[in-house]
Amino acid sequence: ETKGILPYAETATDLNILQWRQILSYFSEEECLSFQQTSKPIELPAMLDAEELTAEAVIHFKGAVLDAISRRRSAEKELLSSSEGAKLLGERETLSRQLQEMALVKGEEDPAALKLKRSLESLDKRAATLLGESKVLSDILSVDLEEVRSHLHSPETALVEIFRHNQREEARVWPPHYSSCVITKESSPLLVRHGKADSIENAVSNYRNLLLDKGHADSTVRPEDRKKAWKKAEEILYDKILTPLESHLVPGQLVIFSTDAQLHFVPIGM
């Protein structure tokens, strides 16, 4: 059954790449970030356990929005080469300053501030249109699985791409989960499941709270209680994140972790 669906999933991934390139190149930053919340291009291949396609989707889409925004900002110096572009940048700088002042005085939700924000987004879209043919933007989402493999140092190096996604459990029930793609230079990618996000993220939150609490001189948590709670949070994270990976990695192997979502906030290593 899955094999019959896989060609459609591959087509959907290719179409997602085209759509994302258009949106990330020509829409405002605010619209790109909003689009990211609604488009879930990794979920279909992950749900189908399509390991190669999931790895390809993770490489293409994970972090793509922030990468595109960064590229656009670095490419904006090209606008100065034309009178239209230079004028647009001047208008946007003035409008941005007005918006900051308005937000400080009346708040971001004030009607006048919202109107300035929409005007600023309109200028962003005009800037994106002028930059549409920029070489800096032409390679958005162009990095693929084979290129990543080619940059791994040796067959003993493994890249672990951890990603957060919604996983179907029953009709209309799609709770968030964490999974990983284990990518090596020569072997086929492996898809590893870590389980529901809530227990993992609760452990992350507890771990970080304990770290922050330790730095406070007026902390009310006893050192022995903190140590126990810390150990419990570490054990949960180890069991959920590292234990499922152990059978797919070898001792002495160089492992590169690329985390996602709340896992950005804790150190991970083996």
Side-chain angles (χ1 to χ4, degrees):
E1 184 180 349
T2 299
K3 289 183 178 179
I5 299 174
L6 191 55
Y8 297 101
E10 291 171 347
T11 300
T13 298
D14 291 339
L15 292 173
N16 275 324
I17 290 173
L18 292 175
Q19 182 190 36
W20 275 57
R21 279 179 178 156
Q22 291 295 315
I23 288 179
L24 299 186
S25 294
Y26 293 100
F27 281 62
S28 71
E29 291 184 5
E30 187 80 19
E31 288 168 326
C32 288
L33 291 168
S34 297
F35 169 72
Q36 184 183 32
Q37 300 301 314
T38 59
S39 180
K40 309 291 182 182
I42 300 174
E43 289 182 357
L44 178 57
M47 183 184 68
L48 296 174
D49 290 318
E51 295 179 311
E52 188 93 14
L53 187 59
T54 302
E56 197 75 70
V58 169
I59 294 297
H60 275 302
F61 298 108
K62 183 180 162 186
V65 171
L66 293 180
D67 177 55
I69 289 174
S70 176
R71 288 172 184 270
R72 278 167 50 168
R73 289 180 179 179
S74 65
E76 285 180 355
K77 59 185 178 182
E78 297 181 14
L79 292 176
L80 294 173
S81 62
S82 69
S83 57
E84 182 182 1
K87 180 181 177 183
L88 188 149
L89 286 178
E91 291 176 4
R92 198 172 67 172
E93 183 177 349
T94 300
L95 200 58
S96 179
R97 187 166 55 251
Q98 290 174 352
L99 176 59
Q100 290 174 0
E101 293 172 355
M102 181 72 70
L104 286 172
V105 175
K106 296 187 176 182
E108 294 183 357
E109 299 304 316
D110 181 81
L114 291 174
K115 184 177 179 180
L116 284 173
K117 187 176 181 180
R118 287 192 294 269
S119 298
L120 189 59
E121 287 181 11
S122 177
L123 288 177
D124 278 344
K125 292 167 80 168
R126 285 172 54 195
T129 300
L130 289 176
L131 289 170
E133 301 303 320
S134 166
K135 190 176 186 305
V136 178
L137 299 177
S138 63
D139 59 351
I140 289 176
L141 277 77
S142 64
V143 177
D144 59 17
L145 180 59
E146 287 310 308
E147 184 174 351
V148 169
R149 278 175 165 159
S150 71
H151 284 83
L152 295 178
H153 300 301
S154 70
E156 287 73 40
T157 302
L159 170 63
V160 178
E161 282 282 1
I162 305 174
F163 60 98
R164 191 181 193 271
H165 63 101
N166 293 334
Q167 181 73 25
R168 185 180 187 276
E169 293 187 345
E170 55 184 280
R172 298 185 181 179
V173 178
W174 293 71
H177 284 61
Y178 281 96
S179 297
S180 289
C181 287
V182 180
I183 301 169
T184 58
K185 197 173 187 71
E186 297 177 352
S187 302
S188 297
L190 298 170
L191 183 59
V192 179
R193 305 292 188 180
H194 299 289
K196 289 184 178 180
D198 53 1
S199 61
I200 294 172
E201 291 173 351
N202 284 337
V204 170
S205 178
N206 291 338
Y207 186 84
R208 285 185 54 77
N209 287 339
L210 288 165
L211 283 176
L212 294 172
D213 183 75
K214 184 180 179 181
H216 291 156
D218 58 349
S219 172
T220 58
V221 181
R222 296 187 306 172
E224 57 269 30
D225 292 337
R226 182 189 299 110
K227 187 175 181 180
K228 289 179 182 178
W230 206 339
K231 184 178 179 182
K232 183 178 180 180
E234 286 182 332
E235 287 175 349
I236 293 173
L237 289 172
Y238 193 99
D239 289 343
K240 292 286 188 179
I241 303 301
L242 299 182
T243 298
L245 292 167
E246 287 180 338
S247 62
H248 304 292
L249 303 170
V250 297
Q253 189 173 30
L254 174 62
V255 182
I256 304 168
F257 286 97
S258 173
T259 55
D260 193 20
Q262 294 301 307
L263 290 176
H264 283 308
F265 300 111
V266 292
I268 295 181
M270 301 185 74

